[in-house]
Amino acid sequence: GLTLTAAGEVLFKQSEAILQEMSSTIEKLEQLKRKPGSGLVTIASPPTFSNIYMPEVVERFVKRYPDVHLVAYEASTGQVYDYLAAGQVDLAIVLHASSPAKLDLVKLVEEPLMLVADAAHPIAGSTSMPRERLSEFEMVLPVSSHGSRALLEAYCVQGGVHLDPKLRMDSLVMIKAVLRSGRYCSILPAVACAQELASGELVAVPLVPACKRSVYLASLRARPQSEHAKALAREIASVVRAKGGRSAR
């Protein structure tokens, strides 16, 4: 009989493994086809939205659709857009209504942004903060132009205010950690630090004039939504409404 060379043996073993994996994948796909109501839904959202809303959304969804596979990504605002634009997810929670020609956008909620700082910061006793005073404070602000950053920059330009933050971060956890130093302020929705505000660790001061942002549920127009993706979208809208329209960073 034929004897394989050393290279041939390696190639044979690799080919055998690939064929087995292909066979297994095909079988899994066939099982999904045979299983009524099965499918896959994917979504990406920023951290605070994930923390506040997604646990209840997931609980409701899996109860109603136990055979559907749900994949939820938590990412920075910029990464959420990247996931959606690349077609890696069916749905995304976005904070800026960009590319309306490419996206289907459903507005979930509108929320005011606040000047947030440690309870020991000088702003702690303020009942409001005029826009023109924002340049007086050391700031830590978002990185991504897809999130609150573009809105804040436009808000400041309208008032003739120039902000030059020494720190930019796309991590809410990091921003709150920096705020605890007592040196910096940030501009966030109150819900992003609800626990810290309730405990008195941080304070939130309303801006004058008010600065509001909208939170949207987005999908690609060129990518038809499955019935399960539509069902997930309904659950998200329902949970946001049930929680009084609060939203997230």
Side-chain angles (χ1 to χ4, degrees):
L2 295 176
T3 302
L4 294 175
T5 63
E9 288 182 1
V10 171
L11 181 60
F12 176 76
K13 289 180 180 178
Q14 290 294 323
S15 299
E16 189 176 35
I18 291 171
L19 289 172
Q20 289 176 348
E21 182 64 26
M22 288 177 62
S23 178
S24 175
T25 300
I26 292 171
E27 176 58 26
K28 289 177 181 178
L29 291 173
E30 289 300 321
Q31 288 176 3
L32 286 175
K33 289 180 182 179
R34 292 193 296 267
K35 201 170 187 179
S38 64
L40 172 67
V41 185
T42 53
I43 182 171
S45 58
T48 305
F49 192 97
S50 297
N51 294 335
I52 294 173
Y53 298 112
M54 289 308 294
E56 186 172 346
V57 169
V58 170
E59 183 179 359
R60 289 188 183 191
F61 187 81
V62 298
K63 185 178 292 186
R64 294 187 180 183
Y65 304 93
D67 295 326
V68 177
H69 294 69
L70 174 62
V71 178
Y73 298 93
E74 180 181 284
S76 67
T77 51
Q79 289 174 318
V80 167
Y81 270 91
D82 291 341
Y83 280 135
L84 184 61
Q88 290 182 251
V89 295
D90 300 300
L91 301 169
I93 303 299
V94 300
L95 308 177
H96 184 57
S98 64
S99 305
K102 296 181 180 179
L103 301 179
D104 280 325
L105 297 166
V106 176
K107 187 175 180 179
L108 294 173
V109 67
E110 186 178 76
E111 61 189 5
L113 298 179
M114 316 280 277
L115 186 64
V116 180
D118 185 80
H121 193 279
I123 74 163
S126 304
T127 56
S128 63
M129 185 57 60
R131 174 168 50 190
E132 57 269 21
R133 289 196 57 199
L134 292 178
S135 58
E136 299 176 15
F137 307 110
E138 290 187 273
M139 293 280 194
V140 51
L141 295 177
V143 176
S144 174
S145 60
H146 294 296
S148 298
R149 176 179 171 181
L151 176 63
L152 292 175
E153 289 177 348
Y155 173 79
C156 289
V157 167
Q158 289 172 4
V161 176
H162 175 67
L163 292 184
D164 183 25
K166 297 298 187 294
L167 297 176
R168 287 194 180 273
M169 300 177 179
D170 238 348
S171 165
L172 182 61
V173 172
M174 290 177 63
I175 288 176
K176 290 194 288 188
V178 168
L179 293 182
R180 292 188 189 99
S181 72
R183 175 178 173 179
Y184 294 90
C185 297
S186 190
I187 300 177
L188 301 166
V191 72
C193 42
Q195 291 183 347
E196 293 83 359
L197 294 176
S199 68
E201 186 178 0
L202 299 178
V203 295
V205 179
L207 298 174
V208 179
C211 180
K212 297 181 179 181
R213 73 176 185 184
S214 296
V215 179
Y216 299 90
L217 178 63
S219 59
L220 292 175
R221 287 189 175 178
R223 180 173 177 166
Q225 292 298 300
S226 68
E227 290 304 313
H228 294 131
K230 292 176 183 177
L232 180 60
R234 289 193 295 269
E235 293 295 350
I236 291 170
S238 176
V239 169
V240 171
R241 285 196 303 269
K243 289 182 177 291
R246 293 176 302 156
S247 189
R249 181 182 184 282

